[in-house]
Amino acid sequence: NRLKMRCTGENQGTSPSSMNHKRGHAHTDDTKGSTSVTRYTSTRRWLILAHCFNMDGRAASQTITDRIPFLLERGIEPVVLSAPTGTRDQRFPHYQVLSAAPSGILFEARHIIRKKIRSPWLQRLFKTLLTVVLLPCYLLEKIFIRLDSHWSWAISATLYGQRLINRFQPELIYSTAGPTSTHLAAFFLHRLSGLPWLAELHDPLCYAHQPPRGQQSRFHRWLEKIIAQHAAAVVFFTEQAMNSAIQRHPALAAMAVVLRPGAQPPDFSGIDYQQSNRIHIGHFGSLAPTRNLKTVFEALDALLMGRPAWHDLIRIHIYGGILDHVSATALAACRLEDLVVQHGRLEHDPRTGKSGRRQILEAMRHSDALILLHGNDPGCLEYVPSKLYEYLLVHRPILGLAAPGSELEKLLRDAGHCALDANDPVAVQEALSRLIEEWRTTGLPDHHPALSFTVRDAVEQLIRTADRITQHNPTL
């Protein structure tokens, strides 16, 4: 019936003017709180809930923002609802709302301050004032609710999302990106509107090896159950994550799909790899005690004991954050501080106009080789680092430290790259030795992988999934 009404215009409560708007007429968006934009709309709309959207350098943001041009190309107009932490997009309806609770407001306001204020001194001042003002309510919240800081965005997104559904009449609700509040808001809006719900889980909500301990763990298990019961389709990024979820909720078998998020092929016009007088090995992305460089540093230390002349040839460049304490302790114990260059998190450069992400891609391209870490947590079997997809497209050799038998190990080997046991420093030492020897003798030419994953491929699969749950027929 919904499909028939969409095709004939027989939608109860829809005025003739709004039907013209849905059929592709020019429309000026004058919703309170947004910038007026005249645009031509398509016959298909998706309400996209993504707490992180247009946030420079954030993997959760890149996954959805990179897909937008391909959705528009396919005639799907996104109506995006996000937190105000990213840049508002003017190409389509994009609305931003703050979280409802102090912890979320504090988290999002800090990002806004860092984005709007260039002076580090003023940033610290405003962040301090904000913390002092919110502290009493923040502490009260944490006494009773011990969830991620973004949990209350689900409240704001539900209230504002219902207005957007009434206004834009989307064909489905699509919740994506890392924060779980996006899926909670989508569930509420699905129940209020009856629209089909497509949930995309970047990382597993639950892991088979982790018992439900603590309020947040119990909440994640409840949310996974809700998704299994109410979502029309559920997207996972790995086979293992999907299979583990199906074991907990057999009903998921009929609606679950695996989608490789991929990456957008970079435009490297005028930027090419050139060998220098040192081998530059880069690691890109965050580090943690369960995903650290300890094995790399120990393997490098053992290698240099046998080949001390190589000491001045090697530089390890670390982008994306500071060393975790496990990596920092190993680095100090091995006394390799002079070989490691920490670049931290790269932000927009006003001098060159380059985004942090663009700078990172160029640094990847200039690297002689790339290190990819999987981690030593049992949950790694259900996880593939998103950096893999960018690594594959910059064509530099990858030294991957992966859990044995994992999907990451298989993907690396299928692509012709090196996959090593992250807990085997001898194997890592031998791989580093071969890599450096090859660099010294023949060089490290570009590697064009046997397989790669693009955003366009991911969008095509996503649209096929959406067509199935909305019963959309382009010929109607």
Side-chain angles (χ1 to χ4, degrees):
N1 289 336
R2 185 183 295 123
L3 181 61
K4 179 181 177 182
M5 289 189 292
R6 187 182 296 120
C7 297
T8 62
E10 298 172 1
N11 193 354
Q12 185 178 1
T14 302
S15 65
S17 61
S18 65
M19 285 307 304
N20 287 338
H21 165 55
K22 288 175 67 179
R23 290 182 178 179
H25 287 231
H27 169 67
T28 300
D29 184 356
D30 58 357
T31 301
K32 185 177 179 181
S34 69
T35 303
S36 295
V37 180
T38 300
R39 65 186 186 280
Y40 284 87
T41 62
S42 65
T43 57
R44 301 187 68 181
R45 293 196 190 94
W46 293 2
L47 176 62
I48 300 178
L49 303 182
H51 183 275
C52 304
F53 192 87
N54 268 354
M55 291 182 69
D56 187 20
R58 293 282 176 137
S61 171
Q62 289 171 201
T63 297
I64 178 59
T65 53
D66 284 358
R67 295 176 184 174
I68 295 298
F70 299 103
L71 289 173
L72 292 169
E73 183 182 288
R74 289 293 307 273
I76 296 171
E77 182 184 41
V79 179
V80 175
L81 184 58
S82 73
T85 48
T87 302
R88 178 171 293 181
D89 205 311
Q90 302 296 333
R91 296 170 295 173
F92 47 83
H94 179 196
Y95 302 90
Q96 299 175 311
V97 292
L98 278 167
S99 291
S103 62
I105 294 172
L106 188 62
F107 172 83
E108 292 155 7
R110 284 174 173 170
H111 279 274
I112 295 170
I113 290 169
R114 187 165 64 245
K115 182 174 63 174
K116 299 291 186 181
I117 301 174
R118 293 296 177 188
S119 169
W121 183 85
L122 286 177
Q123 285 184 14
R124 288 193 294 270
L125 175 62
F126 280 104
K127 287 179 182 179
T128 301
L129 290 175
L130 182 68
T131 302
V132 170
V133 170
L134 292 176
L135 186 59
C137 295
Y138 175 87
L139 294 175
L140 185 63
E141 175 193 343
K142 288 300 180 182
I143 291 173
F144 298 101
I145 302 175
R146 292 177 294 279
L147 301 176
D148 292 332
S149 60
H150 52 69
W151 71 269
S152 65
W153 187 78
I155 301 173
S156 307
T158 300
L159 296 174
Y160 206 93
Q162 187 59 49
R163 291 176 57 189
L164 298 182
I165 289 173
N166 293 337
R167 181 180 181 84
F168 292 101
Q169 299 292 306
E171 68 180 24
L172 62 77
I173 300 165
Y174 168 33
S175 59
T176 182
T180 54
S181 53
T182 58
H183 305 301
L184 182 59
F187 164 63
F188 291 148
L189 290 170
H190 160 71
R191 296 292 285 174
L192 288 169
S193 67
L195 289 172
W197 170 24
L198 193 164
E200 182 176 81
L201 304 180
H202 291 197
D203 298 313
L205 290 171
C206 312
Y207 291 96
H209 68 282
Q210 290 179 338
R213 294 174 181 170
Q215 190 179 87
Q216 181 163 307
S217 177
R218 291 193 296 271
F219 168 70
H220 283 179
R221 288 187 174 268
W222 171 81
L223 184 58
E224 184 183 66
K225 181 180 178 181
I226 289 297
I227 291 171
Q229 291 175 342
H230 295 276
V234 184
V235 172
F236 295 88
F237 284 178
T238 67
E239 295 277 354
Q240 187 59 54
M242 180 184 71
N243 292 336
S244 294
I246 289 174
Q247 287 182 353
R248 292 186 292 271
H249 307 284
L252 277 172
M255 64 188 74
V257 296
V258 174
L259 180 150
R260 303 295 184 189
Q264 182 66 3
D267 178 11
F268 285 131
S269 302
I271 299 171
D272 207 355
Y273 162 74
Q274 290 184 343
Q275 184 174 342
S276 66
N277 59 349
R278 288 194 177 102
I279 181 169
H280 296 273
I281 303 175
H283 173 267
F284 297 82
S286 60
L287 294 167
T290 57
R291 187 176 62 253
N292 59 71
L293 289 163
K294 180 175 183 288
T295 302
V296 174
F297 292 151
E298 291 177 347
L300 188 58
D301 183 41
L303 176 63
L304 293 177
M305 284 183 181
R307 295 178 179 263
W310 283 7
H311 187 278
D312 292 334
L313 292 180
I314 304 167
R315 289 295 180 271
I316 307 293
H317 293 264
I318 300 173
Y319 294 85
I322 61 174
L323 288 177
D324 65 283
H325 73 83
V326 175
S327 299
T329 301
L331 180 63
C334 296
R335 298 182 181 179
L336 298 175
E337 291 91 343
D338 58 328
L339 271 64
V340 174
V341 182
Q342 299 188 56
H343 298 268
R345 178 177 169 79
L346 299 186
E347 304 284 353
H348 176 267
D349 185 349
R351 183 178 58 85
T352 63
K354 294 178 180 178
S355 66
R357 185 182 184 188
R358 179 64 190 180
Q359 296 173 66
I360 287 294
L361 287 170
E362 291 183 5
M364 288 181 187
R365 181 70 183 133
H366 289 310
S367 298
D368 292 281
L370 305 168
I371 295 175
L372 184 67
L373 300 178
H374 203 187
N376 51 23
D377 188 284
C380 288
L381 293 174
E382 302 181 26
Y383 162 75
V384 170
S386 59
K387 275 288 178 285
L388 168 68
Y389 305 110
E390 289 182 342
Y391 276 16
L392 291 174
L393 293 173
V394 299
H395 301 150
R396 301 307 303 144
I398 302 172
L399 190 68
L401 277 64
S406 64
E407 284 181 58
L408 176 60
E409 180 186 61
K410 184 177 186 304
L411 288 171
L412 283 168
R413 290 181 174 167
D414 288 348
H417 288 283
C418 180
L420 304 163
D421 184 348
N423 297 313
D424 188 349
V426 174
V428 177
Q429 177 188 340
E430 292 173 351
L432 283 171
S433 178
R434 290 193 300 270
L435 187 75
I436 297 169
E437 190 62 47
E438 184 179 351
W439 172 82
R440 290 178 67 246
T441 55
T442 62
L444 295 171
D446 277 352
H447 178 90
H448 295 278
L451 80 164
S452 61
F453 304 91
T454 67
V455 177
R456 182 183 291 277
D457 295 336
V459 170
E460 290 299 321
Q461 185 178 353
L462 189 69
I463 291 175
R464 288 195 297 270
T465 302
D467 289 346
R468 176 172 56 82
I469 66 175
T470 60
Q471 297 180 342
H472 178 78
N473 186 340
T475 63
L476 290 181

